[in-house]
Amino acid sequence: MSVPEHAERTQEDSTSRVILSTSDIDRALSRIAHEILESNRGSENLVLLGIARRGYPLAQRLAARLEQIDAGFHAATATGQLDITMYRDDLRRNPARTPQPTLIPESGIDGRTVVLVDDVLCSGRTIRAALDALVDVGRPDVVRLAVLVDRGHRELPIRADHVGKNLPTSSREKVRVLLRETDPQPRATGHEDCVVIDAPVTSDADVARSPGRAASSAARGRDGECA
């Protein structure tokens, strides 16, 4: 699958456009790594936990950058994965989810600074579930949040401490983060990692014929894509 550099019409009657390319994501992660070290005043007691699925490879990439910047940080012993499947508040509506393993560093998280890492922040419900899951693992001293994209539409009072890109969107748009580790389909050079927005194409005539259906479709899209 090749992701278009500019907007184009897809078979599902929507347009797709690349918002962040591979180099954009690399720069965003490098900036976030520096921000994490600055806010923590170094790497002491720092742990990165990526929220499964795409948060984990992003956490690994951040950890590699932290290790390059600060010799006191060891990525192999301070990086893990947090699965939130059983803590989601939509589990009864969407039961067909495959749990991923929760991987906690051997030193644990008690009394440490934990940075949760995720790909997209929207309603805040995923992060709420992550905080519940974290409580069952240990008691960190501080919990911070780093996300690649913040698209707004918050439903809970949750804010990211480190953001790669603030991306205003409509509730009908779908934001996709495609990474080499989780999405191995072939993509155009420079878009091996990318962030894509899919926007449904709705004509004025469609809205005039069935405004109720359009609103219902928008609501379903938000429930399905905003987490």
Side-chain angles (χ1 to χ4, degrees):
M1 180 185 72
S2 178
V3 176
E5 183 173 6
H6 304 291
E8 72 170 21
R9 185 74 63 89
T10 66
Q11 292 181 348
E12 290 78 16
D13 203 25
S14 65
T15 59
S16 296
R17 55 196 174 98
V18 173
I19 301 300
L20 295 179
S21 65
T22 301
S23 59
D24 294 329
I25 291 175
D26 287 343
R27 284 191 293 269
L29 292 177
S30 294
R31 176 169 51 79
I32 289 174
H34 282 280
E35 289 179 2
I36 289 173
L37 287 175
E38 183 176 356
S39 63
N40 195 60
R41 298 181 180 179
S43 62
E44 186 177 0
N45 288 325
L46 189 63
V47 174
L48 303 187
L49 291 183
I51 299 174
R53 286 174 65 241
R54 292 177 181 85
Y56 184 42
L58 290 175
Q60 291 176 309
R61 296 188 193 187
L62 279 172
R65 284 167 169 78
L66 291 172
E67 195 171 52
Q68 291 175 348
I69 300 168
D70 190 322
F73 183 83
H74 302 289
T77 59
T79 311
Q81 174 173 260
L82 187 66
D83 180 68
I84 65 166
T85 302
M86 303 310 296
Y87 298 87
R88 297 183 64 97
D89 60 10
D90 62 350
L91 191 60
R92 284 181 292 182
R93 287 188 299 168
N94 300 289
R97 296 180 183 272
T98 302
Q100 303 294 315
T102 288
L103 307 170
I104 302 299
E106 289 187 8
S107 56
I109 62 171
D110 289 347
R112 306 185 71 177
T113 296
V114 172
V115 179
L116 294 174
V117 182
D118 205 9
D119 55 349
V120 180
L121 175 61
C122 187
S123 70
R125 294 182 182 273
T126 292
I127 307 306
R128 193 278 311 160
L131 292 172
D132 285 351
L134 198 62
V135 169
D136 283 350
V137 173
R139 191 179 189 277
D141 189 37
V142 177
V143 179
R144 297 194 173 101
L145 175 62
V147 298
L148 180 61
V149 174
D150 184 346
R151 62 169 297 187
H153 304 287
R154 209 76 79 243
E155 296 172 2
L156 297 175
I158 288 174
R159 178 183 63 84
D161 300 281
H162 311 289
V163 179
K165 184 174 181 62
N166 287 289
L167 186 61
T169 60
S170 85
S171 59
R172 299 190 65 198
E173 293 174 321
K174 177 180 179 180
V175 176
R176 291 185 291 143
V177 175
L178 304 175
L179 303 176
R180 281 166 282 192
E181 297 92 333
T182 56
D183 312 276
Q185 304 90 340
R187 289 182 283 277
T189 301
H191 293 156
E192 295 85 358
D193 302 310
C194 59
V195 177
V196 180
I197 285 187
D198 298 326
V201 176
T202 304
S203 67
D204 293 339
D206 291 336
V207 175
R209 283 196 302 269
S210 184
R213 181 184 299 177
S216 175
S217 175
R220 288 196 301 272
R222 184 176 180 182
D223 289 342
E225 305 305 334
C226 195

